[in-house]
Amino acid sequence: MLQVKLTGTLQSAVDDEAEVEIDAATIRELLTRLVERYPRMSKHLDEGIAVSINGEIYRDNWGTQIPDDAEVFLMPRIPGG
Amino acid sequence: MPSVLVSTTINGDAVEYACPQDETLLDSLRDRVGLTGVKEGCGTGDCGACSITLDGRLVCSCLVLGVEANGREITTVEGLSDGDKLHPLQEKFIEHAALQCGICTPGFLIAAKALLDRNPNPTVEEIRYGLAGNLCRCTGYDKIVRAVQAAAKQMRKK
Amino acid sequence: MPQDTSYTHQKFNVIGTRPKRPDGIDKVTGRAKFGADTSAPGQLVGLILRSPHAHATIRKIDTSKAERLKGVKAVLTSADLPDLTDGDRAMLDILENCMARGRALYDGHAVAAVAAIDAQTAKKALKLIKVDYKVLPHVTDVDEAIKPGAPIIQDWVFTAGVEPKPKRPSNISQRTEFGHGDVEAGFAEADVIVERSYKTEQTHQGYIEPHACLASVRPDGSGELWVTTQGHFTFRNICSSLLGMDVAKLKVTASEIGGGFGGKTHVWMEPVALALSRKANRPVKLVMSRDEVFRATGPTCSTSVDVKIGAKKDGTITAATAELRYQNGAFPNIWGMLGAMTSFACYDLKNVKSIGYDILCNRPKVAAYRAPSAPMAAFGVESTMDLVAAEIGMDPVDFRIKNAAKEGTLASYGPTYGPIGIGPTLEAVKNHPHMRARLGKNQGRGMACGFWFNFGGQTCTDLNIGIDGTVTLTVGTVDVGGSRASLSLIAAEELGIPYDQVITNIADTASLGFNDMTEGSRGTFSSGMAAIFAARNAIEVLRKRAAQMWEIPVEAVVWEKGEAKAMGKKHGNLPQLSLKEIAAKAPNTGGPIAGHSEVVADNAGVSFASHICDVEVDPETGATKVIRYTVIQDAGKAIHPDYVEGQFQGGAVQGIGWALNEEYIYGEDGRLQNAGFLDYRMPVCSDIPFIDTQILEIPNPNHPYGVRGVGETSIVPPLAAIGNAVSNAVGVRLSHVPMSPPRILKALVEASGS
Ligand code: FES
Ligand code: FES
């Protein structure tokens, strides 16, 4: 079971929970389960989000593996200059 | 407005073009003669990207009219190297990484050449003020000043 | 394992050397072709008519006279750009920013466009277009825009992130909050609390090359676009979707780019050029003037920031909060959120909270500017850090070292840090000779820290080996500052061959798979990673070919120092085969030898910098000159140190300009008053000292060579470093950037009066 934390405006899509529990081994599973449980997340996923796994920031590449006890953060995708 | 025929010398070659009376020399060089090494950064004399020499004097070609070039001599960045040999300034700019994007480079090269023609052994201060008419947004000027110092040194050896 | 990203700890052959860049000669001889340097047969000149009003309803546009002018081939309004965005508000915003739809939202907003046979005719045609405006009340100041009664810019924007859901539209598009712990309890523990408000003005990226493109659309719906951009693949996706074209039918070629810094990650007039070309059935060249660049392309935000930091006498920070209001221009974005995320990222804080507000104004749509949003937050936080240090009587560097984030710190924006470089940059500051240099009269020294995320993204490269053993590396990330040299170094390193044996090219959108933009400091990081993988794939092929040439099993072949080597007792005596020898036999051993790679290159590694700055302030005029400047930053691994130093120096000088001079000045009428380089004064050569650099190399564990992004962080510390230096020089604390002579003078007068 992953403790998934959400930052910024993503929180409002999960009924203002700062943290949700999800069972997932890849980013794809994580995102699928999230949308199943919180349909309002799908709008944010369409916009593209970033996933921080153990402090490293990943794009929403489905295949990326998530280790069992990883610290997972969802955040909006960050633009750069 | 009727066009005017202009006969001029550019980088040592006789060149003729016809341009409207209100066209800038910058536009004539770029659009009529095809010398797109002369860049436009502002069109108002504030960035130096369009620098050329006109009868040996450093000018912003965006502040000169195309018709004013009649009977005069122009040097642009395209005329800096000698055959297949790069000018020492060109060499040193590459060697010292004095360009990042390179859009300001033609203007800096022309301005630096004008400076070294006047003053072959400039101090850092003199280089900085000599190039103060040229904007570079990428490099912070550090490597440009060093490249000009290195080129000056090499040119003095000859 | 071609896609193993882990750090290899290898000893490098060519990485870290400083060879000449491959595009150097073209750029010093005027041969390099930038956005405005190309032309097409039959090309027309495109020009855009812009709103002189900050906020207005467009009742009617009469283009009939312009259309009748001889030599005019197309006149365009938003009627020619139907909304195909299918409810995607972000895309509609892009379209509306390119061409006003019934309302003008800022001074400079495009309202119509023409294409004509030459510039003279196009200019005349613009004058013949009659626009009937109903001028509306406007607001351009970030704090004014959130006062009750301020004109509402977008009536569909309701503040997100607040409960209960607002019923009325607002200029605050979203509120976001980050942090952890209990800040109230933290402040209660503090011996000293400093609370202060700051303002920063809007600045522009200031790239010397204005936006320029050449568009050519054919009646069959296919087309081409030559454009100065940081991401031609993204431009292709956006343009084709806005214009209803098939992605594959639009070929976009990135010209050489004359600076971007984030400003060329957005489309501004490219869809208009394509639409003009489609309407005229001729190629159209559209080049912005500097005035247009200032008025209508994305500057960075103006901001207003409140910071509160509490600390114990021993220097431990007990709590920190920030409230950040970021002006987004006329279209909502996430800049305030980014400010809130980055504000306290340098520190290890038990109790921290930052709240970001994104706010609309009648100003141009804001774009990223090098580590977007971080410098303004850092100005507030790092100025306050110095104030707290002074209150508790601690050296500002020691105070920062005591509180610096480290591996295992819970970052203020959420995650836990891996190995990071803030501590080492601060130690380097402490030990730097600059810190011990003597200061003269009216001179002062300041320092400050900065943070930026960096990221990777979708990347695709091809590596092809020629018959003579030379290597072509094809990438899809635009080279904004020497990345072709760095990428050639990386491919050469991986293959074990000399630098000159590799030539790196930037492909157009028809020649390579999709690549995200060169932004977020990702150019060398991600294409470098893809180049390593492509080279590893090519080595697999080379080993197979060598095995074939030797007629031995491939398992017995290893690749070492650019050569195939046969292993084991049986084959060990075979003479090695060089890349060149294997390449020569390619036609007989299975055809061309190549390696490809498609990756989402992630983990560009967060990056930290600490800057030291000495200034001299003239107390008579308030004019401030930077007399010495040092940048210390973690680069992970510097592939080509010259271009890493160049990024450090360039970012620092942009920051110096922002700190001391640059600012958008709007009049009462909502019009931009200084849309030119004369009045928007960027630093020139004589304003600036040499910028010393110190590159730290704390390897990124998630890149084979340890590379981190380097391009952006250097703009984060300067505002605060200079503010701190000014304060140490003349004893006044500036809380408004730019610290222009009048502002400093005013502060000096006020201080002496009290
Ligand atoms: S284009 Fe002539 S000075 Fe800028
Ligand atoms: S190198 Fe880009 S402006 Fe000078």
Side-chain angles (χ1 to χ4, degrees):
Chain A
M1 209 48 106
L2 294 169
Q3 305 291 327
V4 180
K5 297 178 191 165
L6 294 100
T7 57
T9 33
L10 295 179
Q11 280 181 10
S12 59
V14 296
D15 310 330
D16 287 301
E17 302 284 344
E19 197 169 326
V20 295
E21 281 203 340
I22 303 262
D23 190 15
T26 62
I27 287 188
R28 172 166 203 170
E29 281 178 22
L30 171 67
L31 301 184
T32 317
R33 306 258 145 89
L34 260 177
V35 176
E36 278 167 15
R37 205 176 317 160
Y38 306 101
R40 278 197 288 153
M41 274 303 287
S42 72
K43 169 178 158 272
H44 295 285
L45 299 191
D46 289 347
E47 285 165 6
I49 61 162
V51 185
S52 157
I53 304 173
N54 289 332
E56 303 292 350
I57 301 170
Y58 294 80
R59 294 226 167 173
D60 41 10
N61 191 25
W62 286 355
T64 303
Q65 304 277 327
I66 308 177
D68 235 357
D69 47 357
E71 173 203 76
V72 177
F73 260 91
L74 294 189
M75 38 203 211
R77 187 177 283 177
I78 297 158
Chain B
M1 217 179 293
S3 282
V4 178
L5 189 66
V6 178
S7 306
T8 177
T9 306
I10 304 180
N11 300 328
D13 298 322
V15 174
E16 286 196 343
Y17 57 84
C19 71
Q21 285 166 27
D22 62 350
E23 183 172 282
T24 65
L25 178 55
L26 169 62
D27 285 344
S28 302
L29 289 173
R30 288 179 54 85
D31 300 341
R32 304 196 191 274
V33 191
L35 294 176
T36 54
V38 191
K39 304 298 181 194
E40 171 162 351
C42 66
T44 52
D46 301 310
C47 77
C50 64
S51 299
I52 58 164
T53 57
L54 191 59
D55 290 342
R57 245 189 64 220
L58 179 67
V59 297
C60 294
S61 61
C62 69
L63 297 182
V64 179
L65 291 174
V67 294
E68 290 180 82
N70 198 34
R72 303 173 76 178
E73 279 191 32
I74 291 172
T75 306
T76 71
V77 69
E78 287 91 345
L80 274 190
S81 26
D82 175 14
D84 66 353
K85 245 185 87 18
L86 294 180
H87 188 277
L89 276 163
Q90 293 173 312
E91 289 275 4
K92 294 299 171 193
F93 264 61
I94 299 177
E95 225 170 81
H96 287 259
L99 49 141
Q100 278 177 33
C101 79
I103 192 84
C104 67
T105 310
F108 268 98
L109 288 168
I110 292 287
K113 181 171 178 295
L115 169 69
L116 297 185
D117 285 348
R118 262 194 340 264
N119 177 359
N121 192 6
T123 62
V124 169
E125 190 83 352
E126 284 166 341
I127 294 175
R128 289 195 177 272
Y129 280 94
L131 300 179
N134 294 71
L135 288 174
C136 173
R137 193 60 157 173
C138 299
T139 63
Y141 303 105
D142 187 290
K143 293 181 190 303
I144 293 178
V145 175
R146 292 179 201 278
V148 174
Q149 283 180 302
K153 194 165 164 203
Q154 185 181 323
M155 286 162 72
R156 285 198 306 275
K157 273 199 211 134
K158 286 189 189 151
Chain C
M1 277 271 283
Q3 293 239 353
D4 184 356
T5 62
S6 42
Y7 181 53
T8 54
H9 295 276
Q10 75 199 79
K11 243 191 103 252
F12 294 112
N13 284 315
V14 293
I15 298 290
T17 62
R18 303 173 184 239
K20 293 182 190 175
R21 62 196 280 169
D23 52 327
I25 292 181
D26 277 1
K27 285 187 173 162
V28 299
T29 56
R31 255 177 272 184
K33 286 176 109 180
F34 291 84
D37 297 342
T38 200
S39 47
Q43 115 192 348
L44 304 172
V45 174
L47 281 183
I48 292 180
L49 184 69
R50 298 184 179 277
S51 165
H53 304 296
H55 198 188
T57 307
I58 300 169
R59 290 201 195 101
K60 189 170 176 275
I61 305 180
D62 180 0
T63 57
S64 55
K65 273 202 185 127
E67 274 157 25
R68 284 199 301 271
L69 183 69
K70 234 173 137 205
V72 171
K73 301 296 175 185
V75 182
L76 194 98
T77 65
S78 60
D80 300 281
L81 291 164
D83 175 8
L84 307 174
T85 59
D86 194 21
D88 182 340
R89 186 69 227 197
M91 284 300 276
L92 183 57
D93 284 352
I94 295 174
L95 185 67
E96 183 169 13
N97 188 49
C98 289
M99 187 60 71
R101 307 178 81 77
R103 52 192 193 147
L105 295 172
Y106 55 90
D107 165 40
H109 199 170
V111 295
V114 300
I117 49 159
D118 55 29
Q120 282 79 6
T121 313
K123 269 182 221 157
K124 244 185 249 162
L126 281 194
K127 292 209 180 100
L128 294 175
I129 299 175
K130 289 281 159 282
V131 186
D132 179 11
Y133 294 103
K134 177 173 180 271
V135 178
L136 301 172
H138 65 270
V139 60
T140 54
D141 180 82
V142 64
D143 290 322
E144 295 296 323
I146 55 177
K147 288 194 178 150
I152 291 294
I153 318 269
Q154 300 276 13
D155 60 9
W156 58 273
V157 168
F158 295 78
T159 312
V162 292
E163 285 303 331
K165 292 238 160 330
K167 296 207 174 60
R168 285 228 296 269
S170 163
N171 286 335
I172 304 177
S173 65
Q174 66 169 352
R175 175 194 185 276
T176 47
E177 188 179 319
F178 297 87
H180 51 254
D182 179 345
V183 289
E184 289 319 317
F187 282 124
E189 274 175 53
D191 296 320
V192 164
I193 295 176
V194 176
E195 196 171 357
R196 189 111 188 184
S197 298
Y198 302 88
K199 252 189 135 148
T200 67
E201 293 302 330
Q202 184 156 38
T203 56
H204 196 274
Q205 296 83 351
Y207 32 80
I208 306 301
E209 180 199 31
H211 298 266
C213 69
L214 174 61
S216 178
V217 179
R218 307 177 191 94
D220 66 357
S222 68
E224 290 177 29
L225 180 69
W226 160 277
V227 60
T228 175
T229 171
Q230 288 175 253
H232 45 310
F233 290 91
T234 305
F235 271 38
R236 173 172 72 164
N237 287 0
I238 292 175
C239 289
S240 53
S241 119
L242 292 180
L243 293 166
M245 296 170 77
D246 294 334
V247 169
K249 286 190 186 153
L250 179 60
K251 175 172 136 186
V252 183
T253 307
S255 70
E256 292 296 332
I257 175 174
F261 318 113
K264 289 175 183 163
T265 59
H266 300 253
V267 301
W268 305 105
M269 60 8 164
E270 294 77 7
V272 175
L274 287 162
L276 278 171
S277 167
R278 177 162 68 185
K279 197 163 179 187
N281 190 19
R282 298 259 294 262
V284 172
K285 186 164 166 179
L286 195 57
V287 180
M288 278 196 189
S289 67
R290 180 56 53 181
D291 173 86
E292 291 180 281
V293 173
F294 274 116
R295 287 167 68 210
T297 70
T300 187
C301 313
S302 54
T303 71
S304 147
V305 173
D306 309 324
V307 180
K308 182 174 171 188
I309 297 177
K312 287 211 181 107
K313 285 229 171 64
D314 71 350
T316 313
I317 296 177
T318 57
T321 59
E323 209 175 287
L324 310 101
R325 294 167 293 277
Y326 278 49
Q327 176 268 121
N328 282 226
F331 299 95
N333 211 314
I334 59 170
W335 307 117
M337 183 196 83
L338 279 180
M341 288 175 87
T342 57
S343 42
F344 292 110
C346 291
Y347 301 107
D348 186 0
L349 304 172
K350 260 229 294 297
N351 306 301
V352 56
K353 180 154 100 179
S354 51
I355 301 169
Y357 293 97
D358 281 298
I359 294 163
L360 302 175
C361 274
N362 292 111
R363 293 201 188 201
K365 171 178 136 171
V366 161
Y369 178 16
R370 209 170 195 153
S373 301
M376 307 80 136
F379 175 60
V381 169
E382 291 294 300
S383 299
T384 310
M385 287 294 283
D386 261 34
L387 288 167
V388 177
E391 286 273 325
I392 57 175
M394 201 166 168
D395 172 76
V397 182
D398 290 334
F399 178 51
R400 286 175 173 86
I401 289 176
K402 186 163 176 80
N403 293 288
K406 47 196 168 298
E407 186 163 1
T409 293
L410 187 61
S412 57
Y413 62 89
T416 308
Y417 286 126
I420 54 170
I422 180 67
T425 65
L426 281 165
E427 294 293 341
V429 166
K430 209 170 154 57
N431 297 320
H432 200 286
H434 185 164
M435 290 303 278
R436 291 185 295 279
R438 282 195 39 166
L439 290 164
K441 203 173 160 227
N442 297 322
Q443 297 182 345
R445 175 167 302 139
M447 63 83 52
C449 303
F451 159 87
W452 182 244
F453 296 99
N454 298 326
F455 49 78
Q458 301 176 72
T459 314
C460 178
T461 61
D462 276 354
L463 186 146
N464 287 286
I465 296 175
I467 192 78
D468 61 352
T470 55
V471 175
T472 310
L473 178 66
T474 307
V475 302
T477 44
V478 173
D479 181 351
V480 296
S483 67
R484 270 167 291 200
S486 302
L487 294 172
S488 292
L489 279 170
I490 289 173
E493 183 72 47
E494 198 62 28
L495 291 167
I497 57 177
Y499 167 76
D500 331 2
Q501 214 170 317
V502 185
I503 290 298
T504 301
N505 291 296
I506 317 287
D508 60 51
T509 59
S511 316
L512 196 68
F514 181 84
N515 279 266
D516 279 322
M517 294 190 273
T518 303
E519 56 163 4
S521 308
R522 76 174 216 99
T524 301
F525 170 81
S526 339
S527 277
M529 183 155 348
I532 291 171
F533 296 153
R536 288 179 184 174
N537 287 331
I539 288 169
E540 292 300 300
V541 181
L542 287 161
R543 282 177 52 228
K544 276 187 206 132
R545 301 300 177 86
Q548 225 182 350
M549 290 166 73
W550 280 323
E551 298 184 84
I552 65 170
V554 66
E555 296 74 41
V557 182
V558 293
W559 190 259
E560 256 180 39
K561 299 197 179 111
E563 294 179 326
K565 204 169 140 192
M567 296 293 281
K569 267 205 213 87
K570 244 166 77 196
H571 318 299
N573 56 350
L574 288 167
Q576 287 154 14
L577 282 172
S578 69
L579 178 65
K580 195 171 168 176
E581 288 165 313
I582 303 170
K585 290 285 172 283
N588 313 101
T589 57
I593 301 174
H596 306 280
S597 147
E598 292 90 29
V599 293
V600 181
D602 275 315
N603 295 328
V606 293
S607 122
F608 294 88
S610 295
H611 291 192
I612 318 167
C613 162
D614 295 354
V615 299
E616 182 172 319
V617 183
D618 179 344
E620 302 294 311
T621 62
T624 302
K625 193 163 166 111
V626 175
I627 49 176
R628 182 165 178 184
Y629 204 98
T630 303
V631 177
I632 301 168
Q633 188 181 318
D634 171 19
K637 173 75 204 168
I639 300 295
H640 191 310
D642 276 347
Y643 293 107
V644 174
E645 291 164 7
Q647 291 294 325
F648 289 6
Q649 293 163 336
V653 171
Q654 285 183 319
I656 292 171
W658 193 344
L660 292 178
N661 276 309
E662 295 176 33
E663 93 181 271
Y664 267 41
I665 300 170
Y666 278 88
E668 287 291 309
D669 56 2
R671 288 183 190 160
L672 182 60
Q673 297 189 324
N674 58 337
F677 282 143
L678 187 62
D679 300 315
Y680 181 94
R681 196 175 178 291
M682 310 200 306
V684 299
C685 207
S686 52
D687 296 333
I688 298 292
F690 285 117
I691 308 290
D692 293 333
T693 57
Q694 187 178 344
I695 304 175
L696 302 187
E697 296 190 325
I698 297 149
N700 175 358
N702 300 299
H703 187 283
Y705 297 171
V707 172
R708 294 175 192 268
V710 298
E712 297 182 278
T713 317
S714 51
I715 202 171
V716 185
L719 310 190
I722 291 169
N724 291 339
V726 167
S727 160
N728 292 333
V730 287
V732 292
R733 169 63 54 183
L734 271 289
S735 52
H736 195 164
V737 153
M739 296 168 261
S740 52
R743 282 199 189 110
I744 291 188
L745 205 55
K746 185 160 166 264
L748 284 171
V749 169
E750 279 169 10
S752 68
S754 61

